[in-house]
């Protein structure tokens, strides 16, 4: 037993020696990046990481000035593995290291953090859904930097206008936080626009075979199947199953990497599928630059989430510069009111009617359609007005 | 078996030193270090409760299931029925223990290798049941915003120290209880069952009864670990208490040293710390953990404690003479 | 979709998926039968095979059959490497092997994320088109893969029961000491069973990558199903794997299509517990 005690003491001492170091060096703006870098969802996480990489590269060429001193950006990456406990541990490590600005993604990994970041007055911006569990008046320092289920408020009115033949809508989502939020919003939008919701299916993310879910969906005879929060290879496999089962109607796919989608579904099955919030051919100079950078460094195809996460870190630095301070409370206020010219067009924090304060990104939604083996740009959907959002969000 | 070689005086002294160090820890640790210590405590509670069961030779893969039941018990009582946290602690142990009685009876009827399969299935069934019913079990999504223990102004998200002390106390109670059991007559009986249950039965030991008792006790402490988890992390769900968690518990025991009481404790501590060293490496963290696991199995087949006892202590003894 | 068409669809999906899972399960059960260890790395071997086939067939345009044979060889080599340097030093003790395999599996999966990156891929189908079975459209590739699974199972049977090597495998499975006494090299048998199992894994990986997606996590879901199949059919039993595979495939297909994924999950596990309570060793498992 004594030997045990000695070994335990040794372990304890070793532990206390190694963890004291602070992570924030002078003249560096440290942004803790809590991303999903392994396990399911890692495709999104790695795309975000690369976007952050690019922003850092560009910003650090010149650096930026706050209160007369020059700073560079230093993103420190943590892998949350999409496991809540790991994400919490990452947060603790970041807070212990003095980090005050966090960039997170994956709603399952981010939502458990927001209580603590609010109490600790730490700025957190996230690329994930989570609706009012993530952004609300209760969490004034938490922001959503890329329209998730909120995009439905822009997309549905456009769908109804462009495809008046749609009467019945079927929804399919993964059975987790993101999926439930998406489903709720989309079902509401469809209903408030006079469409009939004929199905609302959920499946386990990462499943192998999609025939059962597809069979259920096709059986309800929809005109449009909305993939909602479905992401990654699940989308391609589901679309493949739907087409093989004879479904000929419309499909909308969000959070997508169209090249991957078509590879997995098969080019024939991808034909005619709509991709809201996806960049087909770069439409603006900003998109072109981002596209070229990625292709040069990692080769095509460029993942959708890369484009979506190009702007947030730039916006954050801009807010810090404008606030001329590294105080998360001050920066949050500036960030909330920032008007930014993103690669998609004008971008700003909004959705006050939904969440009680401006905290979720609003910007134009580029939409593509898959034709002849390639994604072609179809339209850029403008962001709806606040009144329109309120009408669509009615119970 | 090292139980005969105990020197009670030096053991007592060692425990006191350890207790003092642990209670002083918050004075010189950061919040993150406290968080890691708390995680170690939870893992130790799980590992040591499973270890008790393994001394009978039964390997269970369903510990996460019992943890989940315990966590769910106190969560529902506190969140939905407005109970205070403190009376829920023993309940969070008793409910899984009660559920374990019929389940355990069914599982123990099964021989050796198949026991772990049945408990594996049990873990999945618990997850499945809680995942299916969104009300009140939270479904796949789980339950968020579980309130911390009272008083709320003491147990805030900003200050880990009260959580830390609570974890230390619970861990000590668990370890002390398991240690007493394993040293007692019942513990000796459990060891004898592991050696040969046919032989044990032939001298009149009611093997099934003892196996069931060990199983129920391990479920009890797993439940307590689960409830602490729920009120510290404030989030539980089927994606938390997975087969991975049960499997990790097994790894702590085997890598730490399955034959002695300190094995699971050392294993849980070391294997929780190693990924922490590499947390900032991002995607390489799990890669390194996998490699470390492989290497430790190859070079330390009796676990860390086994290695230390066989190699390190004889060396120390030669240098410093016998204690 | 008419009612009869629906039933036929569910039936075919069930059979096809059941056969694919069975293929993976066969590899694991074979090793368990002969060596009494659970080779968890099988899932990662399937995944590596899929990536290998992707690069060979999709990127470098090597003919499919040749690529498949090369793939089997490479995966077998990797498998034998694991067997010799990871399992053998642990003396094939089941718990220790479980843990070292879990560690190796985690390492391989993480390395795959780092090396191959986040983009999911797909192997172009070698069997394009749709055919009609009893009036219901089915994709050709699903039918072809199902038939290949059947063919491989028959081949496995012939190998085990009609060839000398196969018989030596069964001898070691029944009693390794007696087999050694009879002059059978147990070590050689272990290597052979690994080659067979890895070849099955290679084929499973290639076809799963073709029907579904190629990505580092692709082994997880099939592996979970396989564990259930092995529990129900009996660890180490080949007829058990076949029967349980088909049964599970059909049950999954029917319950998920009719009741939705969440209900199907519960029904699957409830059934599992039921069978394990009534007959813990599964249909044809060993009397422990």
């Amino acid at each position: 037993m004594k030997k045990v005690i000695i070994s335990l003491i040794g372990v304890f001492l070793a532990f206390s020696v190694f963890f004291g170091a602070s992570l924030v060096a002078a003249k560096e703006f440290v942004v803790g990046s809590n991303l999903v870098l392994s396990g399911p969802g890692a495709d999104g996480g790695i795309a975000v990481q690369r976007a952050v990489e690019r922003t850092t590269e560009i910003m650090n060429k010149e650096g930026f000035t706050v209160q007369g001193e020059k700073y560079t950006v230093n993103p420190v990456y943590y892998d949350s593995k999409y496991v809540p406990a790991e994400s919490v541990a990452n947060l603790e490590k970041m807070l212990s290291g003095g980090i005050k600005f966090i960039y997170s993604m994956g709603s399952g990994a981010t939502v458990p953090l927001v209580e603590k970041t609010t109490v600790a007055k730490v700025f957190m911006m996230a690329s994930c859904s989570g609706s009012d569990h993530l952004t609300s008046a209760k969490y004034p320092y938490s922001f959503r930097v890329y329209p998730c289920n909120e995009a439905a408020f822009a997309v549905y009115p456009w769908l109804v206008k462009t495809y008046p033949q749609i009467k019945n809508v079927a929804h399919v989502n993964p059975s987790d936080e993101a999926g439930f939020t998406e489903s709720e919003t989309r079902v509401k939008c469809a209903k408030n626009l006079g469409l009939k919701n004929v199905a609302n299916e959920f499946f386990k993310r990462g499943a192998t075979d999609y025939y059962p879910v597809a069979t259920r969906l096709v059986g309800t005879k929809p005109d449009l199947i909305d993939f909602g929060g479905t992401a990654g290879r699940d989308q391609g496999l589901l679309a493949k199953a739907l087409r093989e089962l004879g479904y000929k109607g419309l499909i909308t796919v969000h959070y997508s990497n169209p090249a991957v989608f078509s590879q997995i579904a098969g080019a024939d099955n991808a034909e005619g599928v709509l991709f809201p919030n996806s960049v087909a051919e770069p439409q603006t100079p900003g998109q072109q630059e981002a596209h070229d950078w990625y292709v040069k460094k990692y080769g095509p195809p460029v993942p959708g989430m890369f484009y979506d996460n190009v702007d947030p870190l730039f916006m954050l630095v801009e807010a810090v510069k404008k606030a001329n301070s590294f105080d998360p409370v001050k920066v949050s206020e500036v960030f909330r009111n920032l008007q930014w010219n993103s690669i998609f067009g004008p971008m700003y924090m909004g959705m006050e009617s939904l969440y009680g304060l401006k905290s979720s990104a609003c910007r134009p939604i580029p939409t593509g359609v898959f034709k002849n083996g390639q994604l072609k740009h179809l339209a850029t959907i403008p962001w709806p007005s606040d009144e329109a959002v309120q009408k669509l969000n009615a119970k | 078996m090292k139980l005969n070689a105990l020197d009670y005086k030096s053991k007592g002294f060692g425990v006191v030193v350890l207790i003092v160090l642990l209670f002083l820890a918050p004075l010189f640790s950061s919040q993150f270090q406290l968080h890691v210590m708390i995680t170690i405590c939870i893992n130790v509670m799980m590992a040591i409760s499973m270890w008790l069961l393994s001394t009978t030779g039964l390997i269970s893969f369903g510990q996460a299931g019992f943890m989940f039941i315990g966590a769910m018990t106190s969560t529902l009582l506190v969140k939905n029925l407005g109970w205070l946290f403190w009376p829920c602690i023993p309940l969070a142990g008793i409910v899984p223990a009660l559920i374990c009685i019929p389940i355990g009876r069914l599982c123990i009827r099964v021989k050796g290798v198949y026991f772990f399969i049945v408990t594996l299935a049990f873990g999945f069934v618990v997850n499945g049941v809680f995942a299916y019913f969104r009300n009140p079990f939270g479904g796949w999504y789980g339950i968020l915003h579980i309130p911390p223990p009272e008083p709320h102004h003491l147990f805030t998200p900003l200050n880990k120290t009260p959580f830390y002390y609570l974890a230390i106390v619970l861990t000590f109670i668990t370890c002390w209880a398991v240690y007493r059991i394993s040293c007692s007559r019942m513990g000796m009986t459990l060891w004898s069952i592991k050696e040969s249950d046919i032989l044990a039965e032939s001298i009149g030991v009611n093997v099934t009864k003892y196996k069931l008792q060990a199983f129920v006790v391990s479920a009890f402490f797993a439940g307590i670990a689960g409830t602490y988890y729920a009120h510290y992390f404030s989030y539980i769900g089927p994606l938390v208490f997975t087969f991975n968690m049960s499997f990790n518990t097994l790894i702590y025991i085997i890598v730490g040293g399955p034959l002695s009481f300190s094995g699971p404790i050392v294993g849980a501590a070391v294997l929780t710390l190693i990924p922490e060293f590499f947390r900032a490496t991002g995607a390489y963290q799990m890669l390194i953990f996998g490699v470390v696991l492989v290497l430790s199995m190859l070079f330390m087949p009796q676990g860390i404690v086994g290695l230390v006892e066989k190699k390190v202590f004889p060396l120390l003894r030669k240098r410093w003479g016998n204690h | 979709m008419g009612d009869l068409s629906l039933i036929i669809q569910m039936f075919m999906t069930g059979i096809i998926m059941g056969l694919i899972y069975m293929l993976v399960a066969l590899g694991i059960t074979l090793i368990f039968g002969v060596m009494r260890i659970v080779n968890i790395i099988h899932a990662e071997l399937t995944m590596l095979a899929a990536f290998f086939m992707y690069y060979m067939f999709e990127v470098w345009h090597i003919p499919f059959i040749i690529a498949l044979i090369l793939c089997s060889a490479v995966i077998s080599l990797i498998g034998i490497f694991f067997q010799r340097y990871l399992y053998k030093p642990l003396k094939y003790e089941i718990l220790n092997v479980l843990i070292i395999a879990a560690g190796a599996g985690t390492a391989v999966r993480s390395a795959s994320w780092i090396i191959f990156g986040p983009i999911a891929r797909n192997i172009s189908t070698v069997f394009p088109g749709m055919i009609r079975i009893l009036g219901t459209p089915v994709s050709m590739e699903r039918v072809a893969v199902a038939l290949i699974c059947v063919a491989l199972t028959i081949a496995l049977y012939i190998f085990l029961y009609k060839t000398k090597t196969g018989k030596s495998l069964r001898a070691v499975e029944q009693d390794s000491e007696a087999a050694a006494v009879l002059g059978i090299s147990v070590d050689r048998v272990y290597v052979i069973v690994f080659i067979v199992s890895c070849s099955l894994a290679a084929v499973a990986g290639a076809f799963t990558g073709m029907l579904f997606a190629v990505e580092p996590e692709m082994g997880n879901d099939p592996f979970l199903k396989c564990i259930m199949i092995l529990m129900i059919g009996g660890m180490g039993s080949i007829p058990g794997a076949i029967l349980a595979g088909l049964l599970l495939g059909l049950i999954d297909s029917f319950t998920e299509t009719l009741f939705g994924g969440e209900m199907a999950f519960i029904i699957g596990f409830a059934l599992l517990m039921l069978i394990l309570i009534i007959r813990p060793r599964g249909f044809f498992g060993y009397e422990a």
Side-chain angles (χ1 to χ4, degrees):
Chain A
M1 189 64 178
K2 188 167 165 196
K3 314 154 185 181
V4 168
I5 305 297
I6 296 179
S7 8
L8 282 174
I9 293 178
V11 163
F12 182 79
L13 287 174
F15 150 79
S16 43
V17 161
F18 279 95
F19 287 110
S22 166
L23 291 160
V24 183
K27 307 298 188 297
E28 271 192 339
F29 176 42
V30 179
V31 176
S33 308
N34 181 35
L35 311 174
V36 181
L37 296 172
S38 67
D43 48 349
I46 295 181
V48 176
Q49 184 181 35
R50 291 174 177 176
V52 171
E53 213 186 292
R54 173 176 175 267
T55 309
T56 309
E57 223 177 79
I58 295 178
M59 287 256 50
N60 288 351
K61 282 205 195 103
E62 305 262 315
F64 62 99
T65 310
V66 175
Q67 290 178 0
E69 303 261 14
K70 197 143 167 229
Y71 285 84
T72 53
V73 178
N74 180 14
V76 183
Y77 299 108
Y78 294 90
D79 183 3
S80 68
K81 310 177 193 63
Y82 211 75
V83 174
E86 291 289 321
S87 193
V88 169
N90 288 343
L91 176 67
E92 292 302 332
K93 182 128 198 209
M94 290 192 266
L95 292 178
S96 272
I99 293 181
K100 292 201 174 336
F101 292 86
I102 297 177
Y103 194 171
S104 182
M105 47 90 55
S107 54
T110 310
V111 169
L113 303 182
V114 74
E115 294 264 2
K116 175 108 194 221
T117 57
T118 307
V119 168
K121 293 210 170 49
V122 160
F123 176 94
M124 179 163 77
M125 60 183 185
S127 273
C128 63
S129 46
S131 88
D132 62 351
H133 288 142
L134 182 66
T135 48
S136 84
K138 275 195 292 183
Y139 310 122
Y141 319 116
S142 170
F143 296 92
R144 176 178 301 104
V145 288
Y146 135 64
C148 297
N149 52 303
E150 294 82 13
F153 294 118
V155 173
Y156 268 88
W158 175 84
L159 275 174
V160 165
K161 205 170 56 160
T162 321
Y163 300 96
Q165 72 268 28
I166 301 177
K167 304 256 179 318
N168 297 333
V169 183
H171 301 270
V172 59
N173 280 286
S175 55
D176 56 19
E177 155 97 61
F180 292 130
T181 325
E182 295 282 342
S183 158
E184 233 181 274
T185 312
R186 288 166 195 281
V187 163
K188 250 195 246 177
C189 281
K191 193 183 74 165
N192 287 333
L193 282 169
L195 302 171
K196 180 154 176 250
N197 289 311
V198 291
N200 192 9
E201 293 298 322
F202 295 94
F203 64 91
K204 186 139 189 292
R205 215 187 264 270
T208 307
D209 188 34
Y210 286 87
Y211 262 59
V213 145
T215 313
R216 282 174 73 81
L217 287 169
V218 171
T220 59
K221 301 207 199 330
D223 306 307
L224 165 71
I225 298 184
D226 187 345
F227 274 25
T230 315
R233 33 78 96 193
D234 302 342
Q235 297 167 340
L237 294 175
L238 184 55
K240 184 172 173 182
L242 284 168
R243 293 286 190 229
E244 285 177 357
L245 285 167
Y247 176 68
K248 301 224 186 313
L250 280 172
I251 297 179
T252 51
V253 178
H254 318 264
Y255 312 107
S256 181
N257 191 339
V260 174
F261 177 88
S262 101
Q263 227 233 333
I264 294 182
D268 295 332
N269 296 328
E271 193 71 16
V273 173
L274 293 167
F275 290 87
N277 214 2
S278 286
V279 174
E281 310 95 29
Q283 296 292 310
T284 70
Q287 292 172 12
Q288 188 70 52
E289 279 166 28
H291 172 270
D292 294 339
W293 181 92
Y294 190 97
V295 168
K296 184 154 163 232
K297 192 145 186 206
Y298 295 108
V302 182
M305 275 202 92
F306 175 77
Y307 290 115
D308 298 313
N309 286 281
V310 158
D311 291 289
L313 192 51
F314 280 121
M315 282 179 76
L316 178 58
V317 170
E318 184 68 19
V320 168
K321 272 167 39 183
K322 273 213 165 99
N324 203 23
S325 133
F326 287 109
D327 177 2
V329 177
K330 289 210 188 103
V331 173
S332 295
E333 277 321 296
V334 176
F335 193 83
R336 195 185 314 285
N337 295 307
L338 197 64
Q339 299 284 336
W340 177 254
N341 199 10
S342 75
I343 65 176
F344 300 103
M347 179 161 154
Y348 55 92
M349 292 293 131
M351 307 314 286
E352 192 167 358
S353 56
L354 215 55
Y355 298 130
L357 83 170
K358 298 194 283 190
S359 52
S360 187
C362 305
R363 58 160 168 79
I365 310 284
T367 300
V369 65
F370 212 83
K371 276 237 170 316
N372 298 327
Q374 260 195 324
L375 188 67
K376 294 256 180 303
H377 180 82
L378 187 61
T380 302
I381 306 176
W383 195 262
S385 65
D386 240 11
E387 300 92 56
V389 170
Q390 273 186 314
K391 262 199 237 144
L392 286 174
N393 196 38
K395 281 266 177 287
Chain B
M1 260 180 53
K2 295 290 168 188
L3 294 176
N4 294 333
L6 285 169
D7 177 8
Y8 287 96
K9 262 197 246 159
S10 69
K11 175 191 75 170
F13 174 71
V15 172
V16 168
V17 168
L18 186 65
I19 292 180
V20 168
L21 272 178
L22 286 176
F23 271 84
L24 290 181
L27 292 178
F28 48 83
S29 306
S30 71
Q31 290 282 300
F32 173 65
Q33 287 168 319
L34 287 181
H35 172 83
V36 175
M37 288 296 287
I38 292 174
T39 312
I40 293 180
C41 285
I42 297 178
N43 291 340
V44 166
M45 278 196 269
M46 275 170 39
I48 208 78
S49 64
M50 185 166 158
W51 177 79
L52 184 65
L53 184 61
S54 75
T55 60
T56 56
L58 293 174
I59 304 290
S60 156
F61 272 97
Q63 289 305 94
F66 290 118
M67 265 187 90
F68 201 176
I69 295 177
M72 186 61 74
T73 308
S74 78
T75 303
L76 291 179
L77 285 175
V78 172
K79 252 195 125 176
N80 296 5
L81 293 180
W83 281 41
L84 289 181
F85 169 72
W86 302 97
C88 293
I89 299 186
L91 271 176
I94 293 175
V95 170
L98 286 177
I99 295 183
C100 184
I101 297 179
I103 302 275
R105 272 222 188 86
L106 289 169
C107 295
I108 289 173
R109 276 175 34 202
V110 168
K111 287 277 174 180
V113 161
Y114 299 111
F115 181 79
F116 93 77
I117 288 181
V118 181
T119 50
L120 178 65
F122 170 73
F124 283 126
V125 169
V126 170
N127 258 10
V129 169
F130 285 151
Y132 184 70
F133 296 101
R134 270 192 84 183
N135 252 326
F137 296 133
W140 277 112
Y141 178 6
I143 301 183
L144 275 174
H145 304 313
I146 301 175
E150 300 79 18
H152 287 307
H153 65 84
L154 192 61
F155 288 91
T156 66
L158 277 185
N159 186 11
K160 297 233 177 303
T161 311
F163 282 107
Y164 171 75
Y165 283 127
L166 179 60
I168 295 284
V169 165
L170 285 177
T171 311
F172 259 99
I173 294 177
T174 308
C175 290
W176 179 83
V178 171
Y179 184 68
R180 295 291 313 189
I181 294 178
S182 76
C183 283
S184 72
R185 191 125 188 273
M186 176 177 164
M188 303 292 165
T189 318
L190 298 177
W191 277 104
S192 72
I193 294 176
K194 178 180 182 177
E195 294 297 318
S196 165
D197 51 350
I198 301 177
L199 205 55
E201 235 173 31
S202 74
I203 60 167
V205 171
N206 184 348
V207 168
T208 315
K209 180 179 102 165
Y210 278 99
K211 281 186 178 175
L212 188 62
Q213 282 178 350
F215 202 2
V216 168
V217 169
S218 81
F220 178 85
F221 287 112
I224 299 211
T227 184
Y228 182 84
Y229 185 103
H231 293 268
Y232 174 66
F233 281 97
S234 76
Y235 165 74
I236 61 173
L239 297 173
V240 170
F241 297 102
T242 58
F243 160 69
N244 249 318
M245 195 184 241
S246 300
F247 195 72
N248 282 341
T249 318
L250 180 67
I251 294 180
Y252 301 147
I253 298 179
I254 302 253
V255 173
L259 290 178
S260 61
F261 171 76
S262 47
I265 302 179
V266 172
V270 171
L271 286 181
T272 310
L273 284 176
I274 290 186
E276 291 303 328
F277 274 110
F278 301 104
R279 183 168 287 282
T281 60
Y284 292 90
Q285 187 189 3
M286 289 316 286
L287 174 61
I288 296 173
F289 181 72
V291 171
V292 164
L293 204 54
V294 169
L295 291 176
S296 64
M297 288 310 292
L298 283 177
F299 298 116
M300 292 192 306
Q302 293 119 332
I304 299 175
V305 171
L307 184 76
V308 163
E309 285 184 346
K310 285 209 163 48
K311 302 265 171 74
V312 174
F313 283 124
L315 280 172
L316 289 177
R317 238 181 248 124
K318 259 196 264 170
R319 288 259 192 94
W320 298 337
N322 247 317
H323 292 287
Chain C
M1 188 175 284
D3 272 336
L4 182 64
S5 197
L6 182 66
I7 295 181
I8 296 177
Q9 186 66 253
M10 290 193 284
F11 188 76
M12 285 196 297
T13 302
I15 297 278
I16 291 170
M17 291 311 294
L19 285 171
I20 294 177
Y21 292 139
M22 173 205 79
L23 190 64
V24 184
L26 278 179
I28 307 177
T29 211
L30 204 58
I31 291 190
F32 183 82
V34 174
M35 299 171 72
R36 299 288 192 279
I37 56 172
V38 185
N39 183 24
I40 307 189
I41 313 185
H42 199 89
E44 269 65 50
L45 292 174
T46 316
M47 181 261 290
L48 287 175
F51 272 102
F52 187 86
M53 284 302 289
Y54 173 78
Y55 283 106
M56 289 273 118
F57 179 66
E58 194 74 17
V59 178
W60 295 330
H61 300 294
I62 296 177
F64 193 77
I65 300 285
I66 298 182
L68 196 56
I69 295 176
L70 274 175
C71 183
S72 301
V74 168
I75 298 295
S76 299
L77 280 172
I78 299 178
I80 295 174
F81 171 82
F82 279 125
Q83 182 229 358
R84 183 131 200 292
Y85 293 108
L86 259 51
Y87 296 167
K88 195 157 174 209
L90 297 178
K91 301 191 183 50
Y92 305 117
E93 207 270 290
I94 186 172
L95 265 184
N96 294 343
V97 163
L98 210 60
I99 293 183
I100 206 174
T106 307
V108 167
R109 238 178 302 135
S110 299
S112 300
W113 274 113
I114 296 171
I115 298 175
F116 297 119
I119 310 285
R121 297 156 235 252
N122 174 263
I123 301 173
S124 297
T125 182
V126 188
F127 309 103
M130 310 275 295
I131 65 170
R132 288 195 157 255
I133 296 185
L134 298 175
T136 315
V138 198
S139 72
M140 190 68 203
E141 56 176 10
R142 287 170 87 101
V143 174
V145 169
L147 290 173
I148 292 176
C149 289
V150 173
L152 281 174
T153 314
I154 297 177
L156 189 66
Y157 174 81
I158 296 177
F159 171 71
L160 286 176
Y161 284 84
K162 304 276 188 231
T163 68
K164 192 152 171 247
T165 324
K167 288 186 190 169
S168 65
L169 247 68
R170 283 172 45 229
V172 172
E173 179 197 348
Q174 285 174 4
D175 190 335
S176 55
E177 283 174 9
V181 163
L182 288 173
I184 296 176
S185 160
V186 174
D187 274 337
R188 198 176 88 97
V189 162
Y190 285 170
V191 169
I192 293 176
V193 79
F194 248 89
I195 294 179
V196 174
S197 171
C198 292
S199 305
L200 288 173
V203 173
F207 287 122
T208 313
M210 187 164 76
L211 254 57
F212 307 111
V214 177
E215 37 123 22
E217 296 290 323
M218 65 184 279
N220 287 355
D221 187 54
F223 187 72
L224 190 62
K225 290 266 165 28
C226 287
I227 294 293
M228 285 180 72
I229 292 175
L230 292 174
M231 288 196 229
I232 296 178
M235 301 281 291
S237 156
I238 292 184
I242 299 174
L243 197 61
L246 290 171
L247 191 66
L248 199 69
L250 284 168
I251 292 177
D252 255 3
S253 171
F254 274 85
T255 53
E256 206 182 332
T257 311
L258 292 173
F259 306 120
E262 308 195 319
M263 193 66 187
F265 192 74
I266 263 211
I267 290 180
F269 279 116
L271 194 73
L272 178 67
M273 272 233 93
L274 195 68
I275 291 185
L276 288 178
I277 290 171
I278 299 176
R279 193 180 164 91
R281 58 185 146 109
F283 292 152
F284 302 114
Y286 296 108
E287 185 74 56

